[in-house]
Amino acid sequence: MADKGFNSFQIAQHQFDQVAEYLGLDQPTRDLLRYPIREYHFAIPVRMDDGSVRVFRGFRVQHNDSRGPCKGGIRFHPQETVDTVRALAMWMTWKCAVVDIPLGGGKGGVICDPHNLSSREQESVCRGWVRQVAKNVGPISDVPAPDVMTNAQHMLWMLDEFETIRGGHHPGFITGKPVNMGGSLGRTEATGYGVVFTLREALRELNIRPQDTEASVQGFGNVAQYAIQLYTQLGGRVVAVSCWDQQDQTSYTFRRKDGVELDRLMSITDRFGGINKGKAKELGYEILDGGAWIEQDVDVLIPAALENQVTGENVGKISKRVKIVAEGANGPTTPDADAALKERGIFMIPDFLANAGGVTCSYFEQVQSNMNYFWEKDEVLGKLDVKMTSAYLAVSELARKQKLYMRDAAYVIAISRVAQACRDRGWV
Ligand code: NAD
């Protein structure tokens, strides 16, 4: 989406340039990886319910597929821009590479607001999107998934259109499908659990027992809820969570110093991750302002809501006790706040490593779909733990050896793997 004042693609390129410099990448490799390898821009004409025709703009950006088929979500948003899609596609390349799954990076989008479209109109947008790119995507070339404002139903319509065009069943074309229609068990838990698998390893490295730690979490949606579940199982205590209040159009922090009780709190939370204030008070929560989550006297902060939440303005409010920031959300820390965290020596588990559990499980979904054989949930989550833990260990080892900040180490690993694949293939 267009964000006032900055262009995500330029930021993504700037991050890449810095690592390319550090790695001493040659010019052709830089020229290749600074831009998407392919992109498709197209029109999607849709017959609306009132009989008129509206033409929507759609995109699919394939940043790099040297390590495997492109992978990345499709977003429906009224302010979608191709530059945002380009940036997200590039970040997907690095995310898949850092967890070492054999996939590249892609992202798609349609400029539309599904809130203003009937279900039939949304179905037409989904089918129209596939019709335009069916030749250029698929289980062995580019595998889409849900993202902002798209869900399992959208994926199923897209799959059906793809299978109609191609003929036959190709469930590995798309992930995020409903579980009874080729989706994977464990996908709901995957991102939040993945955050905590990496957090568990970071605590081990810092010689801290999880049961001696407390955390504060921004957000109480899918990622936050499952992160809290696993962290609590490991013995940690979450003392505060924050969320957006739709009615008041502001955010609040809910604090319970004895630790939030996940199930009870979830029972008073709507499906958008908004907590009922009145009922929370009855359960003994203090209701604080939205920014209070970051000021808590805890050991671990988990931003798991939105981008640009830890900023130059509030980074100074982080308690001296905080030792680890585990980024559940994408891009929650602005570059100036990141520099301040680095300076303070706070241990960072960067977003594209910490929250890669989602795409890793999507990869498992694709594998299961291609085999047409589905694993039990324990098997999925066990494999997820192995992948996330080894990804974490590789990054932390490099960070230690080369005295790098964890975010920089994660970029160095991801970009070198992709650059190596391009060289090995003889592209550069
Ligand atoms: P979600 O919609 O389920 O939950 C978002 C939560 O953030 C809600 O509780 C909402 O109330 C809260 N929130 C919104 N604005 C807020 C604000 N200003 N202050 C405090 N809280 C606020 O979303 P999710 O799936 O949990 O995703 C959270 C983040 O993680 C996003 O950045 C997303 O891109 C990223 N992520 C998600 C996945 C996934 O698999 N779900 C994977 C990778 C990354």
Side-chain angles (χ1 to χ4, degrees):
M1 285 158 279
D3 214 327
K4 276 180 256 122
F6 70 86
N7 174 312
S8 306
F9 186 45
Q10 284 170 2
I11 293 175
Q13 287 186 315
H14 177 68
Q15 289 166 340
F16 168 75
D17 290 343
Q18 287 181 325
V19 181
E21 198 56 40
Y22 177 84
L23 288 171
L25 290 186
D26 57 54
Q27 198 56 43
T29 307
R30 293 185 197 207
D31 292 344
L32 184 66
L33 295 180
R34 282 191 101 238
Y35 295 95
I37 205 159
R38 282 179 293 276
E39 40 182 75
Y40 305 96
H41 299 213
F42 41 87
I44 307 173
V46 169
R47 171 109 21 220
M48 307 298 282
D49 291 347
D50 66 4
S52 65
V53 173
R54 254 181 80 186
V55 178
F56 296 91
R57 306 299 312 176
F59 311 104
R60 184 67 182 174
V61 173
Q62 298 172 346
H63 173 258
N64 189 280
D65 56 3
S66 59
R67 290 173 42 87
C70 294
K71 183 91 195 79
I74 301 173
R75 299 148 59 93
F76 284 179
H77 201 281
Q79 271 101 45
E80 192 64 278
T81 71
V82 69
D83 268 353
T84 312
V85 179
R86 287 177 177 132
L88 292 163
M90 189 190 277
W91 284 323
M92 283 304 294
T93 304
W94 312 143
K95 194 182 282 200
C96 292
V98 83
V99 280
D100 205 11
I101 52 179
L103 296 171
K107 208 79 175 185
V110 178
I111 304 176
C112 72
D113 187 349
H115 294 111
N116 303 329
L117 299 174
S118 71
S119 175
R120 195 203 60 81
E121 290 165 345
Q122 291 182 42
E123 178 178 348
S124 301
V125 171
C126 290
R127 290 185 185 277
W129 190 92
V130 171
R131 239 173 272 148
Q132 297 303 332
V133 284
K135 285 196 290 294
N136 314 106
V137 294
I140 56 168
S141 54
D142 183 359
V143 182
D147 205 292
V148 173
M149 287 203 260
T150 52
N151 56 35
Q153 175 63 73
H154 296 121
M155 300 305 108
L156 199 51
W157 285 325
M158 289 183 166
L159 175 66
D160 186 68
E161 189 66 24
F162 184 81
E163 292 183 337
T164 305
I165 293 169
R166 290 278 182 103
H169 284 284
H170 303 276
F173 156 56
I174 206 159
T175 63
K177 303 181 290 294
V179 167
N180 59 348
M181 290 296 289
S184 177
L185 291 168
R187 177 63 186 86
T188 315
E189 294 86 349
T191 308
Y193 276 21
V195 172
V196 175
F197 292 144
T198 62
L199 173 60
R200 180 194 63 202
E201 295 307 310
L203 287 168
R204 188 173 310 186
E205 190 174 334
L206 299 177
N207 256 322
I208 304 171
R209 297 185 325 156
Q211 55 269 43
D212 297 335
T213 64
E214 292 185 315
S216 174
V217 180
Q218 188 190 35
F220 196 60
N222 172 260
V223 178
Q225 290 175 6
Y226 286 98
I228 293 170
Q229 187 182 80
L230 190 60
Y231 174 68
T232 310
Q233 277 171 24
L234 295 179
R237 179 162 37 193
V238 173
V239 295
V241 300
S242 73
C243 70
W244 183 254
D245 188 294
Q246 195 60 30
Q247 209 176 352
D248 297 358
Q249 287 293 299
T250 188
S251 55
Y252 294 107
T253 299
F254 297 76
R255 183 167 69 184
R256 188 169 182 276
K257 287 191 170 164
D258 288 340
V260 306
E261 297 167 311
L262 183 63
D263 291 344
R264 286 177 102 179
L265 198 55
M266 276 169 75
S267 73
I268 58 164
T269 300
D270 65 28
R271 66 194 169 92
F272 304 108
I275 300 168
N276 182 313
K277 277 205 309 293
K279 291 185 178 160
K281 257 189 209 151
E282 283 168 23
L283 290 178
Y285 285 84
E286 298 169 75
I287 318 282
L288 312 173
D289 69 80
W293 74 277
I294 206 172
E295 303 168 15
Q296 299 306 307
D297 196 27
V298 291
D299 310 280
V300 178
L301 291 176
I302 306 180
L306 299 173
E307 62 282 2
N308 300 326
Q309 295 302 302
V310 184
T311 65
E313 272 154 43
N314 64 15
V315 71
K317 295 183 181 164
I318 293 180
S319 153
K320 287 200 171 62
R321 188 175 146 193
V322 170
K323 296 166 193 78
I324 300 177
V325 173
E327 294 184 325
N330 284 319
T333 309
T334 61
D336 49 346
D338 201 34
L341 294 174
K342 197 176 190 173
E343 175 76 30
R344 277 179 61 175
I346 292 180
F347 194 90
M348 167 63 68
I349 314 178
D351 51 1
F352 69 107
L353 170 63
N355 71 30
V359 72
T360 303
C361 194
S362 295
Y363 162 60
F364 295 157
E365 176 178 338
Q366 196 205 353
V367 170
Q368 294 169 81
S369 289
N370 288 340
M371 291 191 298
N372 209 6
Y373 174 73
F374 290 84
W375 308 330
E376 297 303 324
K377 193 185 209 172
D378 283 354
E379 187 171 358
V380 175
L381 295 175
K383 285 180 158 64
L384 182 68
D385 192 350
V386 170
K387 268 281 167 211
M388 294 301 294
T389 300
S390 53
Y392 172 88
L393 293 176
V395 173
S396 79
E397 189 186 338
L398 184 77
R400 249 194 336 272
K401 278 193 182 148
Q402 298 196 10
K403 298 202 171 16
L404 289 172
Y405 186 49
M406 281 286 282
R407 192 186 311 279
D408 299 334
Y411 267 120
V412 165
I413 290 200
I415 292 174
S416 1
R417 282 182 181 154
V418 178
Q420 186 65 42
C422 294
R423 273 195 298 274
D424 289 349
R425 283 177 179 274
W427 290 355
V428 281

